[in-house]
Amino acid sequence: MSEMKKIKNLKEFSTSADRFEGANLLCPGCAHSIIVREILNATNDPMILSASTGCLEVCTAVYPYTSWDASWIHIGFENSSTAIAGAEAMYKALKRKERLPKSCEGKSPKFVAFGGDGATFDIGFQWISGCFERGHDMMYVCLDNEVYANTGGQRSSATPIGASTTTSPAGRVSYGEKMNKKDIVQIMAAHGSPYVAQVAPNKWKDMVKKIQKGFATEGPVFINAMSACTTEWKFAPDDTIAVSDLAVDSLVFPLYEIENGTKLTITYRPKNKIPVRDYLGAQGRFKHLFKPEYEYLIDEWQKRVDDYWEYLQRREEAGV
Amino acid sequence: MKYLGWDELLPGAILFSFDEEMEKDASEVLPENRPYAETNSYKAYVGDWRVLKPVYNRDLCIDCQFCWIYCPDVSIISRDKKMIGVDYDHCKGCGICVEVCPTNPKSLLMFEEQVDNDKALAEWPEKE
């Protein structure tokens, strides 16, 4: 195991040489690339990466260009997890037979799969579940923007109640998406994964710490990264960090980690808890909730968030 | 660069990031020393996406590096813990760097694309 990169502060972090290039075709202000940069810069070890079909994949590998300065593979929508699991199994086999190339000597490559929320919550779910059952030494990062943004904003099972999307539009008869979001972090923790965490790009220190912890952990690691989408959440491109701050401080996206499937730790407690109403008001996809007939949904949402926060705190106290 | 047609691509098409073998991993080589291939998006240009551009004022900057960490397009150039400038070939003009800048007045501000940088620096607002 090679030594973990030391990142004490942002100045020190900024000396990293990026392995993700600009002039990819992600929207201006997209949080995906902020997350990818924070993950790739968290280590100096060689990286073997894969991506599911989705914004990140189509925008970083537009023929004839690639934006990745590391080994990167794309196969299909559902199998970024199994592609990287196969690479990891191959690495283990070659290591056992002492047939690794010279360039791998003294290094411990990191295997990371990226997927959007569509590829994680819906389409690729059974593949990820299989990888976690087999216990590959890999990290799966879900870039959770709560919608199929790449194909024009269809609802996914990560879309929260009340969000207007192209397949769950809000209008005279509907308030938008009617089903609640899957709790993917708890689902993956229930696989008995050694490390599962929820992160947000605006809390970079918390995020880098969790990523490094994930890299140091042997076994399948799941990271759910909140990724504010300027196009589908409908806010101005320069507000990405501000909206992410609102999401984290209103506890819609609480930052916590679960070790060995049970030990839950809350890693960030907002000093000033912001009402969910402020988070919803910052985004165009929830505009209709502020009509008098749908206001009750905001109160319901607030209650849901409060209950969940209460539940997380109780679990942290009990240590289970 | 010669582009292949969609039906001329080989199965399992590979796009290379670098033209030649690198002795070290890319994480240990700064961009200016890398042998970028023509197929690396570093060689591409998205500057024409911009309507507004960020202009950088060295005199006010405290090198906090917030703009560096939050730039989605790797367009803030930082070397030796110092912020040097903006990479206008890859900046899409989202404006996140300006929003996260903590100084007063801000050391990064958005200006119209056609405004000259020196002129923009001369018009910099006073401290509030």
Side-chain angles (χ1 to χ4, degrees):
Chain A
M1 196 83 182
S2 59
E3 224 171 87
M4 197 56 72
K5 184 172 174 179
K6 287 195 182 66
I7 300 163
K8 275 202 226 90
N9 52 38
L10 201 44
K11 278 195 182 187
E12 204 172 308
F13 198 23
S14 74
T15 55
S16 315
D18 272 293
R19 277 182 283 183
F20 184 71
E21 294 297 346
N24 52 61
L25 301 189
L26 290 160
C27 304
C30 179
H32 273 24
S33 44
I34 306 177
I35 296 166
V36 169
R37 284 188 60 218
E38 285 176 18
I39 292 172
L40 264 57
N41 284 332
T43 177
N44 275 348
D45 286 327
M47 297 197 89
I48 293 102
L49 310 165
S50 75
S52 297
T53 307
C55 286
L56 184 71
E57 179 265 322
V58 296
C59 295
T60 56
V62 185
Y63 181 75
Y65 293 113
T66 175
S67 301
W68 301 88
D69 297 342
S71 312
W72 181 88
I73 186 170
H74 162 69
I75 299 176
F77 208 138
E78 64 290 331
N79 53 10
S80 72
S81 50
T82 39
I84 220 67
E88 189 264 351
M90 185 73 184
Y91 174 79
K92 262 190 196 153
L94 288 176
K95 198 175 177 185
R96 197 176 57 238
K97 294 174 184 167
E98 292 175 359
R99 275 169 51 196
L100 280 180
K102 271 221 168 86
S103 54
C104 287
E105 270 171 28
K107 290 177 178 169
S108 62
K110 304 285 183 273
F111 295 86
V112 184
F114 291 100
D117 58 282
T120 308
F121 288 62
D122 303 339
I123 296 174
F125 184 71
Q126 61 160 310
W127 279 260
I128 301 164
S129 189
C131 285
F132 276 63
E133 190 216 339
R134 292 190 297 274
H136 292 283
D137 186 11
M138 57 176 269
M139 176 185 282
Y140 188 92
V141 181
C142 169
L143 302 159
D144 183 5
N145 57 10
E146 304 192 323
V147 73
Y148 284 95
N150 173 37
T151 45
Q154 291 81 8
R155 54 100 33 206
S156 77
S157 53
T159 310
I161 294 181
S164 175
T165 69
T166 49
T167 47
S168 63
R172 259 183 302 133
V173 291
S174 170
Y175 55 77
E177 172 68 14
K178 291 196 166 54
M179 280 156 286
N180 205 355
K181 181 175 177 168
K182 277 190 204 170
D183 191 346
I184 195 78
V185 181
Q186 306 280 0
I187 295 172
M188 298 321 290
H191 282 72
S193 159
Y195 190 68
V196 172
Q198 181 147 277
V199 301
N202 52 323
K203 302 289 172 209
W204 71 269
K205 205 164 189 175
D206 174 79
M207 173 152 175
V208 168
K209 213 169 137 188
K210 283 175 179 165
I211 298 295
Q212 291 197 328
K213 200 167 170 182
F215 283 150
T217 308
E218 204 156 312
V221 172
F222 184 84
I223 303 286
N224 192 44
M226 190 230 355
S227 179
C229 175
T230 94
T231 310
E232 298 304 338
W233 295 15
K234 300 188 174 70
F235 58 84
D238 55 347
D239 284 340
T240 307
I241 299 300
V243 170
S244 308
D245 279 339
L246 285 173
V248 172
D249 288 340
S250 66
L251 298 172
V252 174
F253 277 90
L255 301 184
Y256 62 99
E257 58 186 24
I258 304 174
E259 284 162 83
N260 299 319
T262 49
K263 191 175 170 289
L264 189 146
T265 317
I266 297 169
T267 55
Y268 173 75
R269 288 162 205 278
K271 281 198 194 92
N272 302 311
K273 206 180 133 193
I274 290 167
V276 172
R277 177 176 282 271
D278 293 3
Y279 167 68
L280 302 179
Q283 302 166 50
R285 63 175 174 158
F286 297 119
K287 197 174 59 190
H288 55 282
L289 295 185
F290 290 85
K291 285 183 191 162
E293 64 263 38
Y294 293 143
E295 288 249 17
Y296 72 96
L297 284 163
I298 301 179
D299 300 332
E300 278 182 22
W301 195 318
Q302 182 69 54
K303 189 172 178 308
R304 220 161 39 235
V305 165
D306 290 343
D307 287 352
Y308 195 71
W309 182 241
E310 188 65 39
Y311 161 75
L312 288 180
Q313 281 178 318
R314 277 211 307 274
R315 263 193 74 173
E316 190 190 31
E317 257 174 52
V320 287
Chain B
M1 178 175 16
K2 188 184 170 289
Y3 289 5
L4 291 174
W6 66 271
D7 54 348
E8 292 171 277
L9 278 177
L10 299 169
I14 299 175
L15 298 174
F16 291 99
S17 297
F18 304 113
D19 259 342
E20 45 198 270
E21 286 277 307
M22 286 216 292
E23 275 179 37
K24 292 174 176 162
D25 193 79
S27 68
E28 292 161 53
V29 186
L30 286 170
E32 52 268 33
N33 302 326
R34 290 179 185 170
Y36 281 114
E38 285 298 313
T39 47
N40 194 305
S41 74
Y42 184 81
K43 295 272 183 173
Y45 177 77
V46 288
D48 45 7
W49 289 29
R50 274 196 308 272
V51 181
L52 301 172
K53 66 173 176 182
V55 177
Y56 172 55
N57 191 331
R58 177 66 249 181
D59 301 337
L60 299 165
C61 182
I62 55 168
D63 293 312
C64 68
Q65 307 294 356
F66 282 169
C67 52
W68 175 82
I69 184 86
Y70 294 131
C71 176
D73 295 302
V74 208
S75 298
I76 303 291
I77 310 167
S78 282
R79 295 289 179 269
D80 297 330
K81 304 184 183 179
K82 293 258 182 291
M83 150 90 170
I84 296 177
V86 181
D87 175 355
Y88 287 116
D89 283 355
H90 301 119
C91 171
K92 295 170 189 158
C94 65
I96 288 179
C97 51
V98 174
E99 286 297 310
V100 298
C101 184
T103 60
N104 182 14
K106 285 182 186 294
S107 32
L108 277 155
L109 279 178
M110 300 304 272
F111 285 89
E112 296 280 335
E113 181 67 25
Q114 69 275 13
V115 176
D116 191 60
N117 275 13
D118 293 332
K119 205 171 154 245
L121 285 171
E123 291 170 4
W124 214 266
E126 291 291 313
K127 187 175 175 178
E128 279 171 30

